[in-house]
């Protein structure tokens, strides 16, 4: 049996306050909702780490939590998922990150993130985590940009492939500071923010990819297009890969799950198209359940879903 791919996820970890509402209020408006609310583990880095672990990857998670009850709960959660938490640092002064997520009845979400300890994730944390000899580095932008740039730089020095989930878009992001990237993957709003081009048809997809190629040293660009699936570009040609039809309940963590699944399958197969088809299935399954971590499927569930569809 081949060894499991080892993925180093460097990113954010939060406690998510998830509120189900019919509609979100306008400015100055108060709404009394008959929906539900809950507190669940989340954060883009953690979502990706757990998603990859449930699919069968050997996952190392580099992040920061607070010295509080939320931090203790999150550490225990990741350990129960068999994630390597040696590089999950407890910050002595900052609280665990918090995300307030409002989910409308159609599954659309609006999210406000309070970074807390995530804002202190630093170069030294990453340097230590890279001693785990990963097969790939998976990183996103819910941590300090300097730490993201440094992570890519150090992964390049060790010839570790870099996969970037290009969200969220934050002020000061400079694509020219990135070194070599294996896969760069924005969603629809992130692609538009980075290029000024709205992704609405194949012509716009290729224009976005060409623009990103002019700014990045990347092997592939993979656009996450929600219910439309994804679009893969390799520098010469692009292909649209359709998603699976499902009824969306909550889109939280779907993009994180997609990128984690794509990374895992790409490491196993070396085939970006196969990786994206697999990731589409994982993303589709994720939106059929509420919450971030609770919605992430196992490998067995994904295999069954693909067979049925």
């Amino acid at each position: 049996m081949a060894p499991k791919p080892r993925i180093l996820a460097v990113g954010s970890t939060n406690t998510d306050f998830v509120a189900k509402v019919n509609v979100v209020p306008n400015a100055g408006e108060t709404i009394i909702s008959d929906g539900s609310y809950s507190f669940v583990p989340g954060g883009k880095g953690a979502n990706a780490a757990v998603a990859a672990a449930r699919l069968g990857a050997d996952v190392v998670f580099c992040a920061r939590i607070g010295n509080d009850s939320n931090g203790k709960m999150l550490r225990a959660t990741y350990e129960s998922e068999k994630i390597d938490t040696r590089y999950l640092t407890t910050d002595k002064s900052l609280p665990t990150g918090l995300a307030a997520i409002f989910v409308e009845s159609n599954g659309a979400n609006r999210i406000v993130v309070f970074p807390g300890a995530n804002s202190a994730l630093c170069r030294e944390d990453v340097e230590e985590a890279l001693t785990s000899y990963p097969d790939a580095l998976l990183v996103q932008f819910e941590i300090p940009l300097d730490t993201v740039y440094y992570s890519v730089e150090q992964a390049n020095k060790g010839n570790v492939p870099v996969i970037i989930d290009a969200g969220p878009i934050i002020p000061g992001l400079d694509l020219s500071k990135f070194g070599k990237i294996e896969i760069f993957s924005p969603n629809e709003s992130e692609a538009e923010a980075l290029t000024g081009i709205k992704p609405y048809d194949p012509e716009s997809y290729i224009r976005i990819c060409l623009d990103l190629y002019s700014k990045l040293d990347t092997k592939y660009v993979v656009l996450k297009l929600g219910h439309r699936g994804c679009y893969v570009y390799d520098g010469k040609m692009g292909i649209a890969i359709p998603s699976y039809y499902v009824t969306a309940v909550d889109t939280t963590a779907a993009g994180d799950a997609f990128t984690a699944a794509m990374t895992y399958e790409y490491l196993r197969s070396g085939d970006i198209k196969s990786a994206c088809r697999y990731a589409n299935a994982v993303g589709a399954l994720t939106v059929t359940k509420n919450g971030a971590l609770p919605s992430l499927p196992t490998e067995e569930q994904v295999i069954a879903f693909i067979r049925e569809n």
Side-chain angles (χ1 to χ4, degrees), residues 10 24 56 60 73 90 98 109 135 140 148 183 197 230 235 256 298:
V10 175
V24 295
V60 180
M73 179 271 292
T90 299
L98 175 73
N109 62 50
D135 296 308
Q140 38 69 40
V148 178
I183 306 171
I197 304 167
C230 63
D256 307 326
T298 64

Side-chain angles (χ1 to χ4, degrees), residues 262-300:
M262 175 184 65
T263 301
Y264 176 53
E265 182 60 25
Y266 180 70
L267 291 174
R268 289 199 297 181
S269 69
D271 185 336
I272 189 65
K273 295 175 187 176
S274 172
C276 287
R277 291 188 188 97
Y278 182 77
N280 274 348
V282 173
L285 267 174
T286 301
V287 305
T288 62
K289 295 181 181 179
N290 289 314
L293 265 59
S295 68
L296 301 173
T298 64
E299 184 175 30
E300 291 76 16

